[in-house]
Amino acid sequence: MPFLIPFDSASFFSHAIVWLRMIGGARSFLGNATLGMAAMSKAGRRLQVSTWNIAAINNNPFEYWITYNKEYEDLMVKVESFLDSPGDKDVAVPKVFSQSMFDQLDARMTSVGWQSVKPYWENDFSKRTIVEGFMKDGLLGLKRLASMPDRMTNTINTEDGNMVFRPTIINMYEDDLSSQEIWWEKWSSFMFDTKLKIKGKGDVVQEQIPYQMLQKIKRSKYKAVTEEEEKDSLPLQTMCGAIFDAILVHMMNTVSTPDTWQPLKRTMVQALNKQKVPNTLKIMEKHYMDSDIITLQEVSASLIDQARKSAIGKKFHIIAPANLDAVRDQNSVVCLKRSTFPDGAIEEITAKVEAAFPKDEDIPVSNGDILAVTTKSIDNVPFVVASFHGDTNGLATKPVVDAILKAMGADSKLVSHRLVFGLDANTYEKAIPDSQQDVLDFGKSYVKHGLTSCWGDVPDPKNYTTFNARTFLQPQLNKACRRDEKRSNGDVNPKDFILFPKDDFQVVRTWKDNTGKREYVEDMAFPTLDFPSDHGILTTIIEPKL
C-alpha cells in the first residue's frame, strides 16, 4: 500500500506560487511583477497599510463600559449595584409596572386581535420582584421574552432614511423619561399608535405600527418556550418588553436623578451614536491620509457614501462589495490611495474566494464580510488587496485565508499578484478549544502559507487590539461585567492583523491606535467619546524584500 501524504490544497497553492517564482518558466507570469518590485525597491518606496474594524456601540450608548468621566463611572456602578445586590430595592413588579398599566396594555393587545395575557400576569408576573424575579431570571432570557421585542423595536429604520426609537433607556431615545407615568404614555402610544413607513422585501414600502413588527417566538428555535407560550408569544413578549422597559426607567430614576442621567445620556448619544460616522471620518482624515491602503470592516452604507463625498474620497478609491449587506449593514471595504494605485480596483474577486471554500464545510461567513480586489501600483506591481471581518469566535479566519490563497493559486492571472490582507481575525489570547480561534495557532497557519504579519511570524498573545466589556444596562445580564472585572471578563484580545508574503515584504514599523491620535493606551476600555470603535486601528509600513 503506497504511503499517502495528506493534501492541503490552500497550502499547496501558496507554496506553488513561491515555487513558480523560482523557476525560469514562470517568467510569463512573474516577470513584470518582479521588475515592478525591483523598481519599487530602487525608488525606496514603501507601503503604509492600515486596517480598522470601525464598528462599536450600535444603538445603546450604555451597552459597553466606556472611558469617559467620573459622573458616568458613578452612574454605571450604581446601576451595577442595583442589579447585582438590590436589597430592599428589589420591589414587586406592580410597584414599577402598575396594575392600571397592565390593564391598559391588555386592552390594547386584545383590541388588535391578540389573546389576553391576564392569566400570565395574575398567576406569575405580578408576583415577581423586579431584579431577582425578572431581570435575573435566566429562563426568561432563554425564552427571549424581553430581548426579542427589544431587538425588533429598539430602533426602527424608516423608508426615508430616518430612525425611530422605542421610549426606553437602552437606545438613542432622547425625550423625557423622568417618571413611570411619562414613560408609559409615550411607550403605549409608540407601540400601538405610531404608523411608520418601512421598506420590506424587494424595497416595497409598507405602513406598519411597531406592534406589527413583532414575530412569534418558536419552540423549534428556543427550546425553553412552552407550547402555550409559543401560541401566546406576541402578547406575552409585548407584556414582558413593557415590564423590562418600566424597570429600566424606575432603576435610572432611583440610582440617579433625571437632571443628571438624561443630559449624560444625550451627550453619549451625540458622540457615540449620532456622530459616529463623522467622528470616524474625522480620525481617518486627520491621521491616516498618508496610508497607501486602508482596509475597513463592519462599515455601513451611509459611511461609504459619506466617505466618497469627503476629502477621503478625493484621495482614495473607496471600494465596497458589489453585493452590499443590506440586512446587517456591515461591509468590508478597501481604500486605495489614488497616487499609489491610479487605476483603483481592477476586478473584484470576492466570489472566487467564496467559491474556494471547502464544499463539505459550513464556513461562518455572511454577506459583506469579505472583499477582495485586484489592483496595480504605480511601479506596475499587481496586488490582491483583501478586507475581512471574522465571525465572533474567529472560526472562519483560517478558512478565509486558505480560500484567498487557493483562489490566487488556481487563477493563472493572479499567480504573480502580491497579497495585502487587513482583517479582524477575531483571535483570542486564551481561546476555548474547538470553539474559538487561538492567536498562536493562527500564526502557525499563515506562516505555513508563506505569509507573515505586521506582528511577525509569532504574534504576541498579549498584544491586544480590543478592550471592551458589557455593562449591566443591556438585555443580556449574563454577559455583564462588573467594573472591577472589565479586564478579566471583558473582550481583551489580539484580534487585528495585516498579512503579506514573507518572501516579498518586510516590516519597517507597526503601531496601533485607540485614541484617534495614532497612540494606544494599554488597559483602557474603549470606545471613548473621542474614539468611536471597539477595535484599535492597526498600521504597518512594509518595504520590498530584495
Side-chain angles (χ1 to χ4, degrees), residues 78-86 89 130-131 251 254-255:
K78 288 176 181 177
V79 169
E80 173 189 314
S81 177
F82 187 100
L83 292 171
D84 200 30
S85 306
K89 294 183 177 66
I130 61 175
V131 178
M251 177 178 64
T254 298
V255 303

Side-chain angles (χ1 to χ4, degrees), residues 466-508:
T466 64
F467 188 148
N468 60 76
R470 288 179 187 263
T471 71
F472 280 74
L473 205 48
Q474 40 86 27
Q476 296 174 292
L477 286 183
N478 61 308
K479 296 183 178 180
C481 290
R482 296 177 179 84
R483 177 180 62 170
D484 57 0
E485 295 177 346
K486 288 186 288 185
R487 174 67 184 79
S488 58
N489 291 341
D491 181 3
V492 186
N493 281 292
K495 292 195 167 187
D496 300 274
F497 284 81
I498 298 169
L499 305 180
F500 45 87
K502 185 174 182 177
D503 287 346
D504 291 325
F505 295 101
Q506 60 190 8
V507 173
V508 177

Side-chain angles (χ1 to χ4, degrees), residues 523-539:
D523 293 323
M524 179 183 78
F526 57 100
T528 67
L529 294 196
D530 298 318
F531 190 82
S533 175
D534 57 353
H535 279 253
I537 307 170
L538 180 57
T539 302

Side-chain angles (χ1 to χ4, degrees), residues 361-415:
E361 293 183 31
D362 184 16
I363 308 301
V365 170
S366 299
N367 187 37
D369 283 342
I370 305 173
L371 175 63
V373 300
T374 64
T375 187
K376 187 176 288 187
S377 74
I378 53 172
D379 294 304
N380 209 35
V381 179
F383 285 89
V384 167
V385 180
S387 178
F388 171 61
H389 167 230
D391 60 295
T392 301
N393 293 319
L395 299 181
T397 299
K398 288 201 299 185
V400 167
V401 175
D402 293 348
I404 288 177
L405 293 169
K406 184 177 178 181
M408 292 176 67
D411 189 332
S412 61
K413 294 186 299 182
L414 302 178
V415 167

Side-chain angles (χ1 to χ4, degrees), residues 323-340:
N323 188 17
L324 280 173
D325 169 34
V327 178
R328 300 172 305 150
D329 198 22
Q330 298 174 355
N331 300 279
S332 291
V333 168
V334 168
C335 306
L336 301 173
K337 184 179 283 186
R338 295 178 183 273
S339 59
T340 307

Side-chain angles (χ1 to χ4, degrees), residues 281-350:
L281 296 178
K282 182 179 178 181
I283 290 172
M284 292 175 64
E285 288 180 12
K286 190 171 182 179
H287 295 293
Y288 292 92
M289 298 286 268
D290 54 346
S291 290
D292 298 286
I293 298 171
I294 304 174
T295 64
L296 304 172
Q297 299 86 39
E298 293 200 72
V299 185
S300 67
S302 172
L303 189 143
I304 294 169
D305 290 340
Q306 292 184 50
R308 285 172 172 165
K309 296 173 184 176
S310 71
I312 300 170
K314 294 178 181 178
K315 199 159 188 176
F316 290 85
H317 302 280
I318 299 174
I319 305 110
N323 188 17
L324 280 173
D325 169 34
V327 178
R328 300 172 305 150
D329 198 22
Q330 298 174 355
N331 300 279
S332 291
V333 168
V334 168
C335 306
L336 301 173
K337 184 179 283 186
R338 295 178 183 273
S339 59
T340 307
F341 304 96
D343 297 331
I346 297 171
E347 179 188 6
E348 181 180 345
I349 61 167
T350 306

